[in-house]
Amino acid sequence: MRLDKFLSDMGAGTRSELKKEIRRSGVTVDGTVVKDPGFSVSEKSHVVFRGSTVAYEEFVYYMLNKPAGIISASEDDREATVIDLISEPKRRDLFPVGRLDRDTEGLLLITNDGALSHRLLSPKHHVDKVYFARVSGMLSDSDVELFRDGLILTDGLECLPADLKILSVSEEEYLSEAEITVREGKFHQVKRMFASVGAEVIYLKRLSMGPLTLDPGLDTGEYRRLTPDELLSLGL
Ligand code: URA
């Protein structure tokens, strides 16, 4: 691939910025200074740019603890997106794997690996997603059964069976807390499921997706690369 593409894929800048900089200052490729932006390099080339080695990675994977108030999109003209939270030099083709609502927090995978994203999101694959929910309302065992049997929402949507684990119920505050595991990801899935049993979600956080569990060391808004074990668990 071209040297300017190699560097721009690795988040060093835009192709046009990089072309100028390579012509002006040069880049060391395998020990030789190169000033041609179209110089052919491979993933194995040893590239030194602005004094640092730039290793080529085809795919990158980040675990983000999404904060409320940020949209799950790659780019937006008016507001900040989850991709803007990745502050290191980054690839330009990153996207979030699926969407969490603006007010939902928690685990969001960010990558440029379209095949993995498809595998995790495809309705055929029924990947488990676990959420912590605080709802206004009093959850009961009959709700657990309704969720287990597969809810039918008010608009007729039939949900796959879901596991509801009630963590606490406060009659005084008219609040309940629960963990819910769903195997699909339709628009506002969890909020609509609770609404169908008369409970309004007032806080929602995703705890896990397939084999990935939100790292408790990540504060909201923080992210890190997936570990080798996590990559293995995803079959990567
Ligand atoms: N279900 C919802 O209702 N919202 C989310 O953000 C995720 C799942």
Side-chain angles (χ1 to χ4, degrees), residues 41-178:
V41 289
S42 80
E43 292 168 19
K44 297 199 176 75
S45 302
H46 185 241
V47 175
V48 179
F49 179 60
R50 296 179 194 147
S52 306
T53 298
V54 182
Y56 192 84
E57 290 174 293
E58 186 176 11
F59 297 121
V60 288
Y61 307 90
Y62 298 101
M63 174 187 291
L64 169 72
N65 184 357
K66 178 190 170 299
I70 303 279
I71 58 169
S72 298
S74 299
E75 52 184 17
D76 190 88
D77 292 343
R78 282 164 301 161
E79 44 185 320
T81 73
V82 288
I83 304 300
D84 296 319
L85 296 173
I86 310 292
S87 57
E88 64 196 62
K90 61 191 172 213
R91 301 188 53 117
R92 303 168 67 78
D93 52 2
L94 294 178
F95 58 85
V97 175
R99 284 168 190 267
L100 291 176
D101 295 337
R102 180 198 292 272
D103 57 355
T104 301
E105 295 183 355
L107 174 67
L108 191 60
L109 178 60
I110 295 192
T111 184
N112 60 330
D113 183 344
L116 175 69
S117 173
H118 177 75
R119 199 145 49 78
L120 290 172
L121 297 179
S122 158
K124 275 188 261 159
H125 290 130
H126 302 317
V127 170
D128 279 8
K129 275 133 331 214
V130 182
Y131 294 85
F132 168 83
R134 188 172 300 124
V135 302
S136 165
M138 309 278 289
L139 297 175
S140 69
D141 288 346
S142 64
D143 296 319
V144 175
E145 278 172 38
L146 286 169
F147 277 61
R148 191 177 51 217
D149 292 345
L151 287 168
I152 301 185
L153 304 185
T154 43
D155 59 7
L157 179 79
E158 288 182 34
C159 299
L160 290 174
D163 301 327
L164 180 65
K165 188 164 114 195
I166 300 174
L167 302 175
S168 68
V169 179
S170 161
E171 212 170 319
E172 240 172 49
E173 294 173 293
Y174 197 65
L175 277 184
S176 308
E177 291 184 335

Side-chain angles (χ1 to χ4, degrees), residues 99-104 131 182 186-192 201 204 206:
R99 284 168 190 267
L100 291 176
D101 295 337
R102 180 198 292 272
D103 57 355
T104 301
Y131 294 85
V182 293
K186 301 216 172 71
F187 184 61
H188 294 333
Q189 175 95 29
V190 172
K191 291 177 183 165
R192 287 158 74 204
V201 171
L204 190 61
R206 183 155 64 194

